Short mmCIF file of all heavy atoms in Angstrom, two decimals:
data_model
loop_
_atom_site.label_atom_id
_atom_site.label_comp_id
_atom_site.label_asym_id
_atom_site.label_seq_id
_atom_site.Cartn_x
_atom_site.Cartn_y
_atom_site.Cartn_z
N ALA A 414 70.86 -53.69 46.92
CA ALA A 414 70.64 -54.37 45.65
C ALA A 414 69.78 -55.61 45.85
O ALA A 414 68.93 -55.94 45.01
CB ALA A 414 71.98 -54.75 45.02
N PHE A 415 69.96 -56.28 46.95
CA PHE A 415 69.17 -57.48 47.25
C PHE A 415 67.71 -57.09 47.49
O PHE A 415 66.78 -57.76 47.00
CB PHE A 415 69.73 -58.20 48.47
CG PHE A 415 69.70 -59.69 48.36
CD1 PHE A 415 70.75 -60.38 47.79
CD2 PHE A 415 68.59 -60.40 48.79
CE1 PHE A 415 70.71 -61.76 47.67
CE2 PHE A 415 68.54 -61.78 48.67
CZ PHE A 415 69.60 -62.46 48.11
N ALA A 416 67.49 -56.01 48.23
CA ALA A 416 66.12 -55.56 48.49
C ALA A 416 65.42 -55.12 47.21
O ALA A 416 64.20 -55.25 47.06
CB ALA A 416 66.13 -54.41 49.50
N ALA A 417 66.20 -54.59 46.26
CA ALA A 417 65.61 -54.13 45.00
C ALA A 417 65.01 -55.28 44.20
O ALA A 417 64.17 -55.04 43.33
CB ALA A 417 66.67 -53.40 44.18
N VAL A 418 65.44 -56.52 44.46
CA VAL A 418 64.87 -57.67 43.75
C VAL A 418 63.36 -57.75 44.01
O VAL A 418 62.56 -57.96 43.08
CB VAL A 418 65.57 -58.97 44.21
CG1 VAL A 418 64.88 -60.19 43.60
CG2 VAL A 418 67.05 -58.94 43.82
N PHE A 419 62.95 -57.57 45.26
CA PHE A 419 61.53 -57.61 45.62
C PHE A 419 60.78 -56.47 44.94
O PHE A 419 59.70 -56.67 44.36
CB PHE A 419 61.38 -57.53 47.14
CG PHE A 419 59.96 -57.44 47.60
CD1 PHE A 419 59.18 -58.58 47.72
CD2 PHE A 419 59.40 -56.22 47.93
CE1 PHE A 419 57.87 -58.50 48.15
CE2 PHE A 419 58.09 -56.11 48.35
CZ PHE A 419 57.32 -57.26 48.46
N LEU A 420 61.33 -55.26 45.01
CA LEU A 420 60.66 -54.10 44.42
C LEU A 420 60.53 -54.26 42.91
O LEU A 420 59.51 -53.88 42.32
CB LEU A 420 61.44 -52.83 44.75
CG LEU A 420 61.53 -52.44 46.22
CD1 LEU A 420 62.35 -51.17 46.39
CD2 LEU A 420 60.14 -52.25 46.83
N THR A 421 61.56 -54.81 42.28
CA THR A 421 61.54 -54.98 40.83
C THR A 421 60.39 -55.88 40.40
O THR A 421 59.63 -55.56 39.47
CB THR A 421 62.88 -55.57 40.34
OG1 THR A 421 63.95 -54.68 40.72
CG2 THR A 421 62.88 -55.75 38.84
N ALA A 422 60.26 -57.03 41.06
CA ALA A 422 59.17 -57.95 40.72
C ALA A 422 57.82 -57.30 40.98
O ALA A 422 56.87 -57.48 40.18
CB ALA A 422 59.31 -59.23 41.54
N TYR A 423 57.71 -56.53 42.04
CA TYR A 423 56.43 -55.90 42.37
C TYR A 423 56.03 -54.87 41.32
O TYR A 423 54.92 -54.92 40.79
CB TYR A 423 56.50 -55.24 43.75
CG TYR A 423 55.32 -54.35 44.03
CD1 TYR A 423 54.09 -54.89 44.36
CD2 TYR A 423 55.42 -52.96 43.92
CE1 TYR A 423 52.98 -54.08 44.59
CE2 TYR A 423 54.33 -52.14 44.14
CZ TYR A 423 53.11 -52.71 44.47
OH TYR A 423 52.02 -51.89 44.68
N TYR A 424 56.94 -53.93 40.97
CA TYR A 424 56.50 -52.83 40.11
C TYR A 424 56.25 -53.28 38.67
O TYR A 424 55.39 -52.75 37.99
CB TYR A 424 57.44 -51.63 40.16
CG TYR A 424 58.84 -51.81 39.61
CD1 TYR A 424 59.09 -52.06 38.27
CD2 TYR A 424 59.95 -51.67 40.46
CE1 TYR A 424 60.38 -52.20 37.78
CE2 TYR A 424 61.24 -51.80 39.98
CZ TYR A 424 61.45 -52.07 38.64
OH TYR A 424 62.73 -52.20 38.16
N ILE A 425 57.00 -54.28 38.18
CA ILE A 425 56.79 -54.68 36.79
C ILE A 425 55.49 -55.46 36.66
O ILE A 425 54.76 -55.33 35.66
CB ILE A 425 58.00 -55.46 36.23
CG1 ILE A 425 57.93 -55.48 34.70
CG2 ILE A 425 58.06 -56.87 36.79
CD1 ILE A 425 57.99 -54.12 34.06
N PHE A 426 55.14 -56.27 37.67
CA PHE A 426 53.87 -56.99 37.57
C PHE A 426 52.69 -56.14 38.02
O PHE A 426 51.55 -56.41 37.62
CB PHE A 426 53.97 -58.32 38.33
CG PHE A 426 54.58 -59.38 37.48
CD1 PHE A 426 55.95 -59.62 37.53
CD2 PHE A 426 53.82 -60.10 36.57
CE1 PHE A 426 56.53 -60.57 36.71
CE2 PHE A 426 54.39 -61.05 35.75
CZ PHE A 426 55.75 -61.28 35.80
N ARG A 427 52.93 -55.11 38.79
CA ARG A 427 51.88 -54.11 39.01
C ARG A 427 51.48 -53.52 37.66
O ARG A 427 50.29 -53.36 37.36
CB ARG A 427 52.40 -53.02 39.94
CG ARG A 427 51.55 -51.76 39.99
CD ARG A 427 52.22 -50.73 40.89
NE ARG A 427 51.56 -49.42 40.85
CZ ARG A 427 51.88 -48.44 40.02
NH1 ARG A 427 52.85 -48.62 39.14
NH2 ARG A 427 51.24 -47.28 40.07
N ALA A 428 52.48 -53.19 36.83
CA ALA A 428 52.20 -52.64 35.51
C ALA A 428 51.46 -53.66 34.65
O ALA A 428 50.50 -53.31 33.92
CB ALA A 428 53.49 -52.20 34.83
N TRP A 429 51.88 -54.93 34.70
CA TRP A 429 51.21 -55.96 33.87
C TRP A 429 49.76 -56.14 34.29
O TRP A 429 48.86 -56.18 33.43
CB TRP A 429 51.95 -57.29 33.98
CG TRP A 429 51.50 -58.28 32.93
CD1 TRP A 429 52.05 -58.47 31.70
CD2 TRP A 429 50.39 -59.17 33.01
NE1 TRP A 429 51.36 -59.44 31.01
CE2 TRP A 429 50.33 -59.90 31.79
CE3 TRP A 429 49.44 -59.45 33.99
CZ2 TRP A 429 49.36 -60.85 31.54
CZ3 TRP A 429 48.46 -60.40 33.74
CH2 TRP A 429 48.43 -61.10 32.52
N PHE A 430 49.51 -56.25 35.58
CA PHE A 430 48.14 -56.45 36.05
C PHE A 430 47.26 -55.25 35.74
O PHE A 430 46.10 -55.41 35.33
CB PHE A 430 48.13 -56.74 37.55
CG PHE A 430 48.67 -58.09 37.91
CD1 PHE A 430 49.67 -58.23 38.86
CD2 PHE A 430 48.19 -59.24 37.30
CE1 PHE A 430 50.18 -59.47 39.20
CE2 PHE A 430 48.71 -60.50 37.62
CZ PHE A 430 49.70 -60.61 38.58
N LEU A 431 47.79 -54.04 35.89
CA LEU A 431 46.99 -52.86 35.59
C LEU A 431 46.65 -52.78 34.10
O LEU A 431 45.54 -52.38 33.73
CB LEU A 431 47.73 -51.60 36.01
CG LEU A 431 47.69 -51.25 37.50
CD1 LEU A 431 48.64 -50.10 37.81
CD2 LEU A 431 46.27 -50.88 37.93
N ALA A 432 47.59 -53.16 33.26
CA ALA A 432 47.37 -53.02 31.81
C ALA A 432 46.57 -54.18 31.22
O ALA A 432 45.69 -53.96 30.38
CB ALA A 432 48.71 -52.90 31.10
N PHE A 433 46.85 -55.41 31.64
CA PHE A 433 46.33 -56.57 30.92
C PHE A 433 45.26 -57.37 31.64
O PHE A 433 44.47 -58.06 31.00
CB PHE A 433 47.49 -57.50 30.54
CG PHE A 433 48.49 -56.88 29.61
CD1 PHE A 433 49.69 -56.40 30.08
CD2 PHE A 433 48.22 -56.78 28.26
CE1 PHE A 433 50.62 -55.82 29.22
CE2 PHE A 433 49.13 -56.21 27.39
CZ PHE A 433 50.33 -55.72 27.87
N SER A 434 45.23 -57.34 32.98
CA SER A 434 44.25 -58.17 33.68
C SER A 434 42.91 -57.47 33.77
O SER A 434 42.78 -56.28 33.47
CB SER A 434 44.77 -58.52 35.09
OG SER A 434 44.78 -57.37 35.91
N GLY A 435 41.89 -58.20 34.23
CA GLY A 435 40.55 -57.64 34.31
C GLY A 435 39.74 -57.97 33.07
O GLY A 435 40.19 -58.65 32.14
N GLU A 436 38.53 -57.46 33.06
CA GLU A 436 37.60 -57.76 31.97
C GLU A 436 37.52 -56.64 30.93
O GLU A 436 37.39 -56.89 29.74
CB GLU A 436 36.21 -58.03 32.55
CG GLU A 436 36.16 -59.27 33.44
CD GLU A 436 36.54 -60.54 32.68
OE1 GLU A 436 36.15 -60.66 31.50
OE2 GLU A 436 37.23 -61.40 33.27
N THR A 437 37.53 -55.41 31.39
CA THR A 437 37.38 -54.28 30.47
C THR A 437 38.38 -53.19 30.84
O THR A 437 38.94 -53.17 31.95
CB THR A 437 35.97 -53.69 30.54
OG1 THR A 437 35.69 -53.26 31.89
CG2 THR A 437 34.93 -54.73 30.12
N THR A 438 38.56 -52.25 29.92
CA THR A 438 39.40 -51.09 30.22
C THR A 438 38.68 -50.18 31.20
O THR A 438 37.45 -50.09 31.22
CB THR A 438 39.71 -50.30 28.93
OG1 THR A 438 38.48 -49.91 28.33
CG2 THR A 438 40.51 -51.15 27.96
N ARG A 439 39.46 -49.49 32.02
CA ARG A 439 38.87 -48.60 33.02
C ARG A 439 38.34 -47.32 32.41
O ARG A 439 37.50 -46.66 32.99
CB ARG A 439 39.91 -48.29 34.11
CG ARG A 439 40.35 -49.54 34.86
CD ARG A 439 41.47 -49.26 35.85
NE ARG A 439 41.98 -50.51 36.39
CZ ARG A 439 42.89 -51.26 35.79
NH1 ARG A 439 43.40 -50.85 34.64
NH2 ARG A 439 43.29 -52.40 36.32
N ASP A 440 38.89 -46.94 31.27
CA ASP A 440 38.43 -45.74 30.58
C ASP A 440 37.67 -46.16 29.33
O ASP A 440 38.26 -46.59 28.34
CB ASP A 440 39.63 -44.85 30.21
CG ASP A 440 39.21 -43.51 29.63
OD1 ASP A 440 38.02 -43.36 29.30
OD2 ASP A 440 40.07 -42.62 29.50
N PRO A 441 36.33 -46.05 29.34
CA PRO A 441 35.54 -46.51 28.18
C PRO A 441 35.75 -45.69 26.92
O PRO A 441 35.35 -46.11 25.84
CB PRO A 441 34.10 -46.40 28.68
CG PRO A 441 34.14 -45.37 29.76
CD PRO A 441 35.49 -45.51 30.41
N THR A 442 36.38 -44.52 27.05
CA THR A 442 36.61 -43.69 25.87
C THR A 442 37.81 -44.13 25.05
O THR A 442 38.03 -43.63 23.94
CB THR A 442 36.80 -42.22 26.27
OG1 THR A 442 37.99 -42.09 27.07
CG2 THR A 442 35.61 -41.72 27.08
N LEU A 443 38.60 -45.06 25.58
CA LEU A 443 39.76 -45.53 24.84
C LEU A 443 39.32 -46.31 23.61
O LEU A 443 38.29 -46.99 23.63
CB LEU A 443 40.64 -46.41 25.72
CG LEU A 443 41.35 -45.74 26.91
CD1 LEU A 443 42.18 -46.76 27.66
CD2 LEU A 443 42.22 -44.59 26.43
N PRO A 444 40.10 -46.25 22.52
CA PRO A 444 39.76 -47.03 21.34
C PRO A 444 39.86 -48.53 21.62
O PRO A 444 40.54 -48.95 22.55
CB PRO A 444 40.79 -46.58 20.30
CG PRO A 444 41.93 -46.04 21.09
CD PRO A 444 41.32 -45.44 22.33
#
Side-chain angles (χ1 to χ4, degrees):
F415 218 89
V418 174
F419 175 82
L420 296 179
T421 301
Y423 169 76
Y424 66 65
I425 197 61
F426 276 93
R427 166 183 172 269
W429 193 92
F430 289 127
L431 281 171
F433 297 101
S434 69
E436 296 299 322
T437 59
T438 57
R439 297 175 189 84
D440 187 348
T442 64
L443 293 181

